[in-house]
Amino acid sequence: MQSLISLFNAALLAILIQNSIFERALGPNILIYASRKKEQVIGFSLMITYVTTLSSILAWVLDSFLSHLSFFSILMPVLYILVISFIYILSLVLVWRFLPKLFGKIKTYVHVSVFNCSVLGALFLNAQFGGDIAQYIGFGIGTGAGFFLAGYLLYIAHPRLNSELVPAAFRGLPITLVYVGVISLALYAFAGYATR
Amino acid sequence: MSTENSRPVIKGRPSDGLIRQNIVLMSGLLIGSVIAGATDFRSAAAISVVFAFITFFSIALCRFVPRKIVYTVRIIIYAFVSSALYIPAYFICNSLMGGEVIIRVGIYLPALVTNHVILSKTETRFFHLPYKSMLLEVFGYITGFVAVCMITGIIRDLFVNSAIGSVNVDVGFEIPALETTFGGFFVVGVLAGICRAIYNYNQKRRDSK
């Protein structure tokens, strides 16, 4: 029961307080790309949730054995890339072999949704916060769910952010960044912010 | 799992990466590190050093990865090379900027290893150019990123700490919220708008001539 509560708390932390987009700005370029179509928002979010959750389990094992090393933080990128690559290859081979239709659908964006800052950042943040395996898994699930929340909020605003009403220079990326900034400002209320 | 053996040559200019195809302000790539990492001058400099080192040498080395290998595997090699290059980049940054800056920038330095200039732009652009032209163009793209990162860092340092690096510059007021993530989104969003306005204006002038 305690593990379930830990998992839930970590997921909530990743969605609202440490949201990969609104709070951490990890992978907004992927989000902007994904938010053009509803299917892409769902596809990217599912892929990110899947990879971050599985990677978090392996990362927990690595962290448990190696985090006491003084040079671990320097080796983290290499180790985590190996973890992500292992899950990426294994999953692709399984999907290619057993679900060829799904493989055809995801092959155009699978690499973008796996090798990005959101996934890698989730593993770094997990290592930073520490905790048991339930917290690692919860944070992994929450990262994907947080990405979906951000993606959906951007998807519903996409037509307006690209409309003729926005001045040409600000249409698209610039106004999207300002819009994400406004939502990020609203979500800051969950974490609290104090000026110096 | 498709293989791409052919390498059609495309035309590129080293100056493309500065404004016309600026990776941050025009393409929207790598904005995360600038938004959340470049909160002051020194942090921006640290991000610039690590990005420049990892990106330049990763692309220069990954060019030799045979195209016969499927992209599914090539992307893993690219990611592994860039993450391995993080190790010397870390020590260079540490000797130039000091450990305190690395701690302040936090996860945004190692997160640079999965940047889409290495993982995607290589496939769509750089690897279609002759080697020397490719290196020149990569240098242009890096310069474009460094310029945006440093400008963002300077603006935030100026309005948050009334300083640029270690030099005090009194602007008369402070905007402490600019160092937050939402402050970063606003700054980069406005910079992207200004960059596009300048580009559109120049384009119109050129067309009218």
Side-chain angles (χ1 to χ4, degrees), chain B:
Chain B
M1 297 189 199
S2 63
T3 53
E4 295 156 56
N5 294 316
S6 59
R7 189 175 278 172
V9 175
I10 61 167
K11 282 183 181 176
R13 287 181 300 181
S15 59
D16 279 355
L18 288 175
I19 292 187
R20 200 169 77 90
Q21 296 213 9
N22 187 287
I23 45 176
V24 182
L25 301 181
M26 299 299 256
S27 309
L29 301 173
L30 279 154
I31 37 182
S33 302
V34 179
I35 287 167
T39 53
D40 57 46
F41 179 81
R42 287 171 63 81
S43 303
I47 289 172
S48 301
V49 168
V50 172
F51 171 78
F53 185 86
I54 290 176
T55 305
F56 187 83
F57 289 106
S58 293
I59 295 173
L61 289 173
C62 290
R63 176 66 182 257
F64 300 108
V65 175
R67 303 278 289 183
K68 277 185 280 184
I69 299 171
V70 289
Y71 180 58
T72 315
V73 178
R74 281 208 308 272
I75 195 170
I76 295 173
I77 299 171
Y78 299 166
F80 182 76
V81 168
S82 64
S83 58
L85 281 167
Y86 175 73
I87 298 168
Y90 172 91
F91 287 111
I92 291 169
C93 186
N94 194 27
S95 62
L96 288 174
M97 316 295 303
E100 182 255 332
V101 180
I102 292 176
I103 293 168
R104 200 187 321 147
V105 181
I107 62 168
Y108 298 100
L109 279 187
L112 287 168
V113 303
T114 50
N115 81 63
H116 283 268
V117 178
I118 301 168
L119 302 181
S120 298
K121 210 80 179 167
T122 44
E123 293 293 315
T124 57
R125 190 175 178 90
F126 296 137
F127 290 172
H128 298 281
L129 295 165
Y131 195 76
K132 275 186 185 171
S133 309
M134 181 195 81
L135 291 183
L136 271 177
E137 191 158 317
V138 170
F139 183 75
Y141 274 72
I142 289 171
T143 311
F145 174 86
V146 170
V148 175
C149 191
M150 292 310 294
I151 290 169
T152 309
I154 288 169
I155 291 172
R156 291 166 103 175
D157 213 3
L158 205 57
F159 290 107
V160 175
N161 306 317
S162 297
I164 299 174
S166 54
V167 181
N168 286 329
V169 183
D170 189 17
V171 286
F173 62 95
E174 285 182 0
I175 315 173
L178 274 190
E179 74 175 344
T180 61
T181 305
F182 62 80
F185 274 113
F186 293 147
V187 172
V188 178
V190 171
L191 284 177
I194 293 169
C195 181
R196 280 159 191 242
I198 294 168
Y199 175 73
N200 291 347
Y201 175 74
N202 284 338
Q203 198 69 20
K204 270 182 192 166
R205 265 184 52 190
R206 210 171 294 154
D207 291 346
S208 66
K209 278 179 187 173

Side-chain angles (χ1 to χ4, degrees), chain A:
Chain A
M1 189 62 190
Q2 186 57 42
S3 294
L4 266 180
I5 294 169
S6 295
L7 190 146
F8 181 75
N9 284 346
L12 213 57
L13 175 81
I15 296 168
L16 296 176
I17 300 168
Q18 293 292 331
N19 186 289
S20 64
I21 302 295
F22 297 129
E23 163 57 27
R24 289 291 179 168
L26 290 163
N29 52 328
I30 302 293
L31 181 85
I32 292 167
Y33 172 73
S35 66
R36 291 173 193 165
K37 290 179 188 168
K38 196 196 266 182
E39 303 79 49
Q40 279 191 349
V41 173
I42 297 168
F44 268 82
S45 304
L46 286 175
M47 277 305 297
I48 288 175
T49 311
Y50 171 78
V51 179
T52 47
T53 307
L54 289 186
S55 306
S56 295
I57 297 169
L58 294 181
W60 178 78
V61 177
L62 274 178
D63 292 353
S64 309
F65 285 105
L66 302 173
S67 61
H68 65 279
L69 299 171
S70 57
F71 51 86
F72 180 62
S73 65
I74 308 167
L75 289 179
M76 265 161 64
V78 179
L79 295 172
Y80 289 163
I81 286 291
L82 288 176
V83 165
I84 295 168
S85 303
F86 173 71
I87 288 163
Y88 169 69
I89 282 288
L90 188 73
S91 309
L92 266 191
V93 169
L94 290 175
V95 172
W96 179 57
R97 180 75 184 82
F98 297 108
L99 300 161
K101 272 188 182 174
L102 179 65
F103 181 79
K105 279 183 186 174
I106 64 169
K107 73 174 181 183
T108 51
Y109 60 83
V110 64
H111 57 279
V112 187
S113 54
V114 171
F115 292 97
N116 64 59
C117 296
S118 284
V119 174
L120 194 64
L123 302 185
F124 289 139
L125 287 173
N126 254 335
Q128 206 173 67
F129 295 138
D132 55 27
I133 191 163
Q135 286 169 313
Y136 268 66
I137 294 171
F139 200 86
I141 295 169
T143 300
F147 186 91
F148 175 75
L149 173 76
Y152 188 70
L153 287 174
L154 214 56
Y155 165 73
I156 53 176
H158 188 262
R160 289 182 188 186
L161 297 174
N162 289 278
S163 78
E164 298 280 316
L165 294 168
V166 181
F170 273 82
R171 203 174 299 150
L173 177 72
I175 198 72
T176 303
L177 293 177
V178 174
Y179 171 74
V180 174
V182 173
I183 301 171
S184 168
L185 169 61
L187 279 182
Y188 251 75
F190 287 114
Y193 174 69
T195 55
R196 285 171 299 158

